[in-house]
Amino acid sequence: MDKETRRSYKIEVWVTAICFAIVAIFGGFFSSVVVILNERFFDRVPTPEALVAAYGETMFVFKEHLTVWGFPLHYFLLIIFSWIGATIIGAIWCIVMDRLEAKQRA
Amino acid sequence: MEPRGEVFILGLILSIIVLLISVMISVWARRFTRTLGDYYVAGRSIGAFNNGLAMVSLALSLTTFIGLTALIIEGLYVAVAVYASFTAAFIGLMVLAAPFLRRHKSFTTMAFIAERYDSSTLRYISVIVMFVVSVLYLGGNLKGIGIVFFFLLGVPEVVGIVVGGLVVTLYVTLGGMYGVTYNQTFQSVVLIFCLMFPVAIVLRVIGASGWYFPPLGYGALVPEMTQAVPHYFWAMVVHPVTYIAIFIGSFFGIIGLPHFVMRFFTVRDAKEARWSTVLCVFLVGLVNTTVYATGFAAVYYMQTQGVDIPSAAYDYVVFILVEAMAGEGWLALAVAGSVAAGLSTVAGLLMIMGAGLIHDLYGEIKKDVDDDKKLKLSYGAMLVVGVLVIIFSLNPPEFIPEAIMWSFGIAAAGLGVPIVMGIWWKRTNKYGAGVGMVVGFLLSFYCWLLIGYLGMDPVEIPFPFFAKYFYGPLGWIKTFSVIGPLTFIITIVVSWLTPPPPEHVQRQVEEMHGWVDVDPKRYNGKGLPITIIVLSVVIMWFMTTLYDQFPK
C-alpha cells in the first residue's frame, strides 16, 4: 500500500467511524443521556393526585429556562439531532466519500 | 373511533384515484422491463432523487398515520426516541452498508450473504430469516389498509384488504422494480402532501403561531400544554439501556431488512446510493416531526377543549383532528395519503419475497435455469405471493407498531450483523456469520414468540441470567441489547477460531470499498473486532446496572 492509498484508506475508515459514532449518539445514546442526567433537564415536583398511581409520589417537569423556540431543550435537541443533525452528518460523509471515490478512480 | 355508518364518497374517490394511478404507473413502467435485472433491480438505473423518494415511502408505512400518534399520546419521550433512532438509522445504513452493497452488484440481501460468504447454506438461512421478518413487517400493513377503508371510508374491511391487496399485487407483478420504484416515488409525494397540509390546518386552528411549518410550529403552545399536562415532555423513566436497545434494533435492523437494502441495488452507482439516503433521512425526519406535532395537537386539543378521545381511538387521532378542525376535504386527503403509505410498504415487501422465492431459492436449487425462464417464473411467483399475502391479511395479527419493532430486532441479529461484518472485516467467514445468524435469529425469534406472540411477561421467559432485567415498561425491547451484542461476539469469535475465508472472497471486500488493487492488511485489523466485542460486553453489563432505580 503506497502512502497516498494508505491515507485514503485511513480517511475512509476514520471518517466513517466518527460519522457513525455521532449518528449513534444522535439516534440512541442521547436519549439515554437525558434519562441518566434527569436532574439537569427536569425539576422534581409532587405528582398530582390523579397521576400518583402511574408515576409515584414525585414526577419531573422540564426546567422552564431550558427552552429553545418554546420547546424543552432535551426534546428540541432530540428531534433536531436525529433529523437535521443526521442529515448534515450524512451529507458530510457523502462529500468525503465522493472525493475519495474520485481519487480511487484516478 | 366508531366506524363510519355511511360511505365517505370524497375520501373513497381520492383513494380510488391513488389506486388507479398506481396501476397506471406500473403499466407504463412495464415497457422498461426486458431482463431479470430490470425486473428485480430496475436495471440498476434509478437516480438518487427517485430512490430517495422511494425509500421515504418504504420507510413511512401505515404506522406513520396509524400507531405513531397513539404511541406519542401514551408516552411522548419513548415514541420520539424510537422514531429519532429510526430516522438517524438511515445514516447508519448509509455509512455502514449502502454504497458498498451497491458495488457488490447482488440482487438481494440473501444473494449478498451467499456470495460474500461463499455458502449456499447461508443463502437458505437468510431466505428463511427474510420471510419471517417480512411477514412480521407485513403483519397488518395490508390489514391496516382494510381498517382505513372500514373506519374512515365506510367500506367493509374485507373489501379494503382484497382491493388494496389486488392493486398492489397487480402493480408489483406487472411493473417489477420499475413499477414499484415509480409508484413509491409517487406515493411519497402523495403522503408527504396529504399529511403536512392537513396537520398545518389543524395547528392553525388550535392557535399555533408557526402552523405553516408543522415540525417546529407549536413551540408557542408549550407553556399552555405544560399547565394542562405537566409531565408531557417528561423523559419517561425506563432504564437508559432501553434506548440503546432501540438504537441497536433500528440501526442494524434497517441494514438487515431486505426490502430496504434492495433499494440500493437499484441505483446507478455508489454515489447515487449515498445521496439518495441523505434525501430520504431529511424527508423521513420532516414527516416524523410533523407526526409529533399531530400528537401534540391531539393532547392539547383534548386537554384544553375538554374533548375526550377514547384510548381505543388514539390510532386514528390524525383523522379525528383533521375532520374536526380542517373539514372533510382535508380528511379525504389524509385518508388517501394513508392508503398510499400502506401500499408502498406492502409493495416493497412483496418484491423482496418474490425475489427471494425465485432468484434465491429456486435459482439456487436449479442452477442451470436461465434468466429468461426466471423472469417468466417471477411474474407467476409475484402473483402467488401477492394472493397468499391477501389471504394471510384476512386474518392477520393485530396492527401494532410492536410487530414492526420486533421485525427490526430479528432482522438486526439475523441479517444486519453478517452484512456489516461482511463489509467491514475481511476475516469474517461463513462459519462465524452462519453461527451468529442462526443463534441471533433463533434467540430473537424465540423472544418474539414468547413475549410478542404468546404475551408472556418478559421477566418470566426462560432466558438465562438476563430475563430478570427485562423489567419495566418496554422491557421486551431490552432483549435487543443482549441478542444484538451476543450475535456480534459469536460472529467474531467463531470467525477467529476457524480458517479465514479464501482469497477470492476477501477480494470482494476490497471491491465493495472501491479499491482496484488488493492489500491483505486493509479491513483486516484487530482494532474493529476488539472494539465491537468490548462495546458489546459493556452494553450487556450496562443492562444489569441501576436495577433498583427504575420502576419494575
Side-chain angles (χ1 to χ4, degrees), chain B residues 382-402:
Chain B
M382 214 59 84
L383 201 61
V384 170
V385 170
V387 172
L388 287 176
V389 165
I390 293 169
I391 294 169
F392 166 78
S393 300
L394 292 175
N395 190 22
E398 284 300 303
F399 178 75
I400 44 174
E402 279 88 339

PDB file of all heavy atoms in Angstrom, chain B residues 382-402:
ATOM      1  N   MET B 382     -44.656 -13.722  -8.168  1.00  0.00           N
ATOM      2  CA  MET B 382     -45.107 -12.478  -7.536  1.00  0.00           C
ATOM      3  C   MET B 382     -46.624 -12.511  -7.329  1.00  0.00           C
ATOM      4  O   MET B 382     -47.130 -12.088  -6.290  1.00  0.00           O
ATOM      5  CB  MET B 382     -44.712 -11.309  -8.436  1.00  0.00           C
ATOM      6  CG  MET B 382     -44.339 -10.060  -7.706  1.00  0.00           C
ATOM      7  SD  MET B 382     -42.962 -10.282  -6.581  1.00  0.00           S
ATOM      8  CE  MET B 382     -41.586 -10.079  -7.675  1.00  0.00           C
ATOM      9  N   LEU B 383     -47.320 -13.042  -8.344  1.00  0.00           N
ATOM     10  CA  LEU B 383     -48.782 -13.151  -8.261  1.00  0.00           C
ATOM     11  C   LEU B 383     -49.176 -14.070  -7.108  1.00  0.00           C
ATOM     12  O   LEU B 383     -50.059 -13.753  -6.310  1.00  0.00           O
ATOM     13  CB  LEU B 383     -49.307 -13.706  -9.589  1.00  0.00           C
ATOM     14  CG  LEU B 383     -50.774 -13.444  -9.922  1.00  0.00           C
ATOM     15  CD1 LEU B 383     -51.046 -11.951 -10.013  1.00  0.00           C
ATOM     16  CD2 LEU B 383     -51.134 -14.127 -11.246  1.00  0.00           C
ATOM     17  N   VAL B 384     -48.492 -15.217  -7.024  1.00  0.00           N
ATOM     18  CA  VAL B 384     -48.811 -16.195  -5.972  1.00  0.00           C
ATOM     19  C   VAL B 384     -48.531 -15.590  -4.589  1.00  0.00           C
ATOM     20  O   VAL B 384     -49.368 -15.681  -3.679  1.00  0.00           O
ATOM     21  CB  VAL B 384     -47.970 -17.496  -6.157  1.00  0.00           C
ATOM     22  CG1 VAL B 384     -48.121 -18.411  -4.951  1.00  0.00           C
ATOM     23  CG2 VAL B 384     -48.414 -18.209  -7.434  1.00  0.00           C
ATOM     24  N   VAL B 385     -47.370 -14.941  -4.446  1.00  0.00           N
ATOM     25  CA  VAL B 385     -47.032 -14.323  -3.149  1.00  0.00           C
ATOM     26  C   VAL B 385     -48.090 -13.279  -2.782  1.00  0.00           C
ATOM     27  O   VAL B 385     -48.569 -13.215  -1.647  1.00  0.00           O
ATOM     28  CB  VAL B 385     -45.624 -13.672  -3.190  1.00  0.00           C
ATOM     29  CG1 VAL B 385     -45.372 -12.824  -1.955  1.00  0.00           C
ATOM     30  CG2 VAL B 385     -44.557 -14.738  -3.301  1.00  0.00           C
ATOM     31  N   GLY B 386     -48.497 -12.480  -3.767  1.00  0.00           N
ATOM     32  CA  GLY B 386     -49.496 -11.436  -3.529  1.00  0.00           C
ATOM     33  C   GLY B 386     -50.811 -12.025  -3.032  1.00  0.00           C
ATOM     34  O   GLY B 386     -51.393 -11.543  -2.052  1.00  0.00           O
ATOM     35  N   VAL B 387     -51.266 -13.094  -3.695  1.00  0.00           N
ATOM     36  CA  VAL B 387     -52.544 -13.715  -3.302  1.00  0.00           C
ATOM     37  C   VAL B 387     -52.419 -14.321  -1.897  1.00  0.00           C
ATOM     38  O   VAL B 387     -53.325 -14.175  -1.067  1.00  0.00           O
ATOM     39  CB  VAL B 387     -52.964 -14.789  -4.344  1.00  0.00           C
ATOM     40  CG1 VAL B 387     -54.168 -15.580  -3.849  1.00  0.00           C
ATOM     41  CG2 VAL B 387     -53.290 -14.110  -5.670  1.00  0.00           C
ATOM     42  N   LEU B 388     -51.279 -14.969  -1.619  1.00  0.00           N
ATOM     43  CA  LEU B 388     -51.068 -15.545  -0.286  1.00  0.00           C
ATOM     44  C   LEU B 388     -51.090 -14.454   0.785  1.00  0.00           C
ATOM     45  O   LEU B 388     -51.651 -14.636   1.867  1.00  0.00           O
ATOM     46  CB  LEU B 388     -49.732 -16.301  -0.223  1.00  0.00           C
ATOM     47  CG  LEU B 388     -49.682 -17.636  -0.965  1.00  0.00           C
ATOM     48  CD1 LEU B 388     -48.279 -18.230  -0.895  1.00  0.00           C
ATOM     49  CD2 LEU B 388     -50.704 -18.625  -0.407  1.00  0.00           C
ATOM     50  N   VAL B 389     -50.486 -13.315   0.448  1.00  0.00           N
ATOM     51  CA  VAL B 389     -50.459 -12.206   1.410  1.00  0.00           C
ATOM     52  C   VAL B 389     -51.876 -11.698   1.673  1.00  0.00           C
ATOM     53  O   VAL B 389     -52.246 -11.404   2.818  1.00  0.00           O
ATOM     54  CB  VAL B 389     -49.549 -11.070   0.887  1.00  0.00           C
ATOM     55  CG1 VAL B 389     -49.786  -9.765   1.652  1.00  0.00           C
ATOM     56  CG2 VAL B 389     -48.091 -11.481   1.005  1.00  0.00           C
ATOM     57  N   ILE B 390     -52.683 -11.627   0.612  1.00  0.00           N
ATOM     58  CA  ILE B 390     -54.072 -11.172   0.803  1.00  0.00           C
ATOM     59  C   ILE B 390     -54.815 -12.145   1.715  1.00  0.00           C
ATOM     60  O   ILE B 390     -55.520 -11.739   2.646  1.00  0.00           O
ATOM     61  CB  ILE B 390     -54.808 -11.059  -0.564  1.00  0.00           C
ATOM     62  CG1 ILE B 390     -54.180  -9.932  -1.379  1.00  0.00           C
ATOM     63  CG2 ILE B 390     -56.294 -10.794  -0.357  1.00  0.00           C
ATOM     64  CD1 ILE B 390     -54.640  -9.891  -2.824  1.00  0.00           C
ATOM     65  N   ILE B 391     -54.644 -13.447   1.462  1.00  0.00           N
ATOM     66  CA  ILE B 391     -55.323 -14.457   2.292  1.00  0.00           C
ATOM     67  C   ILE B 391     -54.861 -14.332   3.748  1.00  0.00           C
ATOM     68  O   ILE B 391     -55.669 -14.326   4.673  1.00  0.00           O
ATOM     69  CB  ILE B 391     -55.050 -15.884   1.745  1.00  0.00           C
ATOM     70  CG1 ILE B 391     -55.712 -16.021   0.368  1.00  0.00           C
ATOM     71  CG2 ILE B 391     -55.568 -16.955   2.700  1.00  0.00           C
ATOM     72  CD1 ILE B 391     -55.302 -17.258  -0.398  1.00  0.00           C
ATOM     73  N   PHE B 392     -53.549 -14.164   3.920  1.00  0.00           N
ATOM     74  CA  PHE B 392     -52.986 -14.007   5.266  1.00  0.00           C
ATOM     75  C   PHE B 392     -53.572 -12.764   5.942  1.00  0.00           C
ATOM     76  O   PHE B 392     -53.890 -12.768   7.135  1.00  0.00           O
ATOM     77  CB  PHE B 392     -51.459 -13.899   5.147  1.00  0.00           C
ATOM     78  CG  PHE B 392     -50.772 -13.401   6.385  1.00  0.00           C
ATOM     79  CD1 PHE B 392     -50.558 -14.239   7.464  1.00  0.00           C
ATOM     80  CD2 PHE B 392     -50.331 -12.086   6.476  1.00  0.00           C
ATOM     81  CE1 PHE B 392     -49.918 -13.778   8.613  1.00  0.00           C
ATOM     82  CE2 PHE B 392     -49.694 -11.620   7.614  1.00  0.00           C
ATOM     83  CZ  PHE B 392     -49.493 -12.469   8.682  1.00  0.00           C
ATOM     84  N   SER B 393     -53.743 -11.707   5.150  1.00  0.00           N
ATOM     85  CA  SER B 393     -54.190 -10.441   5.730  1.00  0.00           C
ATOM     86  C   SER B 393     -55.664 -10.442   6.114  1.00  0.00           C
ATOM     87  O   SER B 393     -56.125  -9.531   6.810  1.00  0.00           O
ATOM     88  CB  SER B 393     -53.929  -9.294   4.756  1.00  0.00           C
ATOM     89  OG  SER B 393     -52.558  -9.213   4.495  1.00  0.00           O
ATOM     90  N   LEU B 394     -56.405 -11.449   5.649  1.00  0.00           N
ATOM     91  CA  LEU B 394     -57.814 -11.504   6.032  1.00  0.00           C
ATOM     92  C   LEU B 394     -57.953 -11.832   7.514  1.00  0.00           C
ATOM     93  O   LEU B 394     -58.937 -11.493   8.143  1.00  0.00           O
ATOM     94  CB  LEU B 394     -58.558 -12.552   5.187  1.00  0.00           C
ATOM     95  CG  LEU B 394     -58.699 -12.183   3.703  1.00  0.00           C
ATOM     96  CD1 LEU B 394     -59.321 -13.324   2.926  1.00  0.00           C
ATOM     97  CD2 LEU B 394     -59.520 -10.906   3.528  1.00  0.00           C
ATOM     98  N   ASN B 395     -56.954 -12.511   8.057  1.00  0.00           N
ATOM     99  CA  ASN B 395     -56.988 -12.801   9.485  1.00  0.00           C
ATOM    100  C   ASN B 395     -55.575 -12.686  10.084  1.00  0.00           C
ATOM    101  O   ASN B 395     -55.016 -13.654  10.581  1.00  0.00           O
ATOM    102  CB  ASN B 395     -57.547 -14.216   9.715  1.00  0.00           C
ATOM    103  CG  ASN B 395     -57.815 -14.458  11.182  1.00  0.00           C
ATOM    104  OD1 ASN B 395     -57.984 -13.514  11.953  1.00  0.00           O
ATOM    105  ND2 ASN B 395     -57.801 -15.719  11.584  1.00  0.00           N
ATOM    106  N   PRO B 396     -55.004 -11.487  10.032  1.00  0.00           N
ATOM    107  CA  PRO B 396     -53.613 -11.327  10.481  1.00  0.00           C
ATOM    108  C   PRO B 396     -53.550 -11.002  11.963  1.00  0.00           C
ATOM    109  O   PRO B 396     -54.581 -10.813  12.603  1.00  0.00           O
ATOM    110  CB  PRO B 396     -53.162 -10.111   9.685  1.00  0.00           C
ATOM    111  CG  PRO B 396     -54.390  -9.283   9.620  1.00  0.00           C
ATOM    112  CD  PRO B 396     -55.562 -10.206   9.624  1.00  0.00           C
ATOM    113  N   PRO B 397     -52.318 -10.927  12.512  1.00  0.00           N
ATOM    114  CA  PRO B 397     -52.217 -10.414  13.876  1.00  0.00           C
ATOM    115  C   PRO B 397     -52.701  -8.964  13.898  1.00  0.00           C
ATOM    116  O   PRO B 397     -52.837  -8.339  12.846  1.00  0.00           O
ATOM    117  CB  PRO B 397     -50.705 -10.461  14.149  1.00  0.00           C
ATOM    118  CG  PRO B 397     -50.067 -11.048  12.970  1.00  0.00           C
ATOM    119  CD  PRO B 397     -51.048 -11.207  11.887  1.00  0.00           C
ATOM    120  N   GLU B 398     -52.945  -8.433  15.087  1.00  0.00           N
ATOM    121  CA  GLU B 398     -53.389  -7.043  15.203  1.00  0.00           C
ATOM    122  C   GLU B 398     -52.366  -6.107  14.557  1.00  0.00           C
ATOM    123  O   GLU B 398     -51.172  -6.406  14.535  1.00  0.00           O
ATOM    124  CB  GLU B 398     -53.553  -6.665  16.667  1.00  0.00           C
ATOM    125  CG  GLU B 398     -54.815  -7.224  17.291  1.00  0.00           C
ATOM    126  CD  GLU B 398     -56.066  -6.733  16.595  1.00  0.00           C
ATOM    127  OE1 GLU B 398     -56.276  -5.520  16.506  1.00  0.00           O
ATOM    128  OE2 GLU B 398     -56.837  -7.589  16.104  1.00  0.00           O
ATOM    129  N   PHE B 399     -52.859  -4.978  14.082  1.00  0.00           N
ATOM    130  CA  PHE B 399     -51.945  -3.988  13.517  1.00  0.00           C
ATOM    131  C   PHE B 399     -51.298  -3.214  14.660  1.00  0.00           C
ATOM    132  O   PHE B 399     -51.912  -2.364  15.285  1.00  0.00           O
ATOM    133  CB  PHE B 399     -52.702  -3.026  12.607  1.00  0.00           C
ATOM    134  CG  PHE B 399     -51.815  -1.963  12.051  1.00  0.00           C
ATOM    135  CD1 PHE B 399     -50.932  -2.260  11.052  1.00  0.00           C
ATOM    136  CD2 PHE B 399     -51.831  -0.679  12.557  1.00  0.00           C
ATOM    137  CE1 PHE B 399     -50.085  -1.294  10.544  1.00  0.00           C
ATOM    138  CE2 PHE B 399     -50.991   0.293  12.059  1.00  0.00           C
ATOM    139  CZ  PHE B 399     -50.127  -0.023  11.050  1.00  0.00           C
ATOM    140  N   ILE B 400     -50.077  -3.566  14.972  1.00  0.00           N
ATOM    141  CA  ILE B 400     -49.421  -2.893  16.084  1.00  0.00           C
ATOM    142  C   ILE B 400     -47.975  -2.560  15.707  1.00  0.00           C
ATOM    143  O   ILE B 400     -47.281  -3.367  15.109  1.00  0.00           O
ATOM    144  CB  ILE B 400     -49.428  -3.750  17.374  1.00  0.00           C
ATOM    145  CG1 ILE B 400     -49.065  -5.200  17.067  1.00  0.00           C
ATOM    146  CG2 ILE B 400     -50.745  -3.655  18.090  1.00  0.00           C
ATOM    147  CD1 ILE B 400     -48.909  -6.064  18.292  1.00  0.00           C
ATOM    148  N   PRO B 401     -47.548  -1.366  16.082  1.00  0.00           N
ATOM    149  CA  PRO B 401     -46.162  -0.993  15.767  1.00  0.00           C
ATOM    150  C   PRO B 401     -45.152  -1.944  16.410  1.00  0.00           C
ATOM    151  O   PRO B 401     -44.045  -2.102  15.915  1.00  0.00           O
ATOM    152  CB  PRO B 401     -46.033   0.411  16.363  1.00  0.00           C
ATOM    153  CG  PRO B 401     -47.410   0.922  16.481  1.00  0.00           C
ATOM    154  CD  PRO B 401     -48.288  -0.272  16.710  1.00  0.00           C
ATOM    155  N   GLU B 402     -45.556  -2.594  17.531  1.00  0.00           N
ATOM    156  CA  GLU B 402     -44.631  -3.515  18.197  1.00  0.00           C
ATOM    157  C   GLU B 402     -44.165  -4.613  17.246  1.00  0.00           C
ATOM    158  O   GLU B 402     -43.008  -5.041  17.299  1.00  0.00           O
ATOM    159  CB  GLU B 402     -45.274  -4.156  19.436  1.00  0.00           C
ATOM    160  CG  GLU B 402     -45.253  -3.285  20.670  1.00  0.00           C
ATOM    161  CD  GLU B 402     -46.480  -2.381  20.737  1.00  0.00           C
ATOM    162  OE1 GLU B 402     -47.115  -2.139  19.682  1.00  0.00           O
ATOM    163  OE2 GLU B 402     -46.790  -1.892  21.831  1.00  0.00           O
TER     164      GLU B 402
END
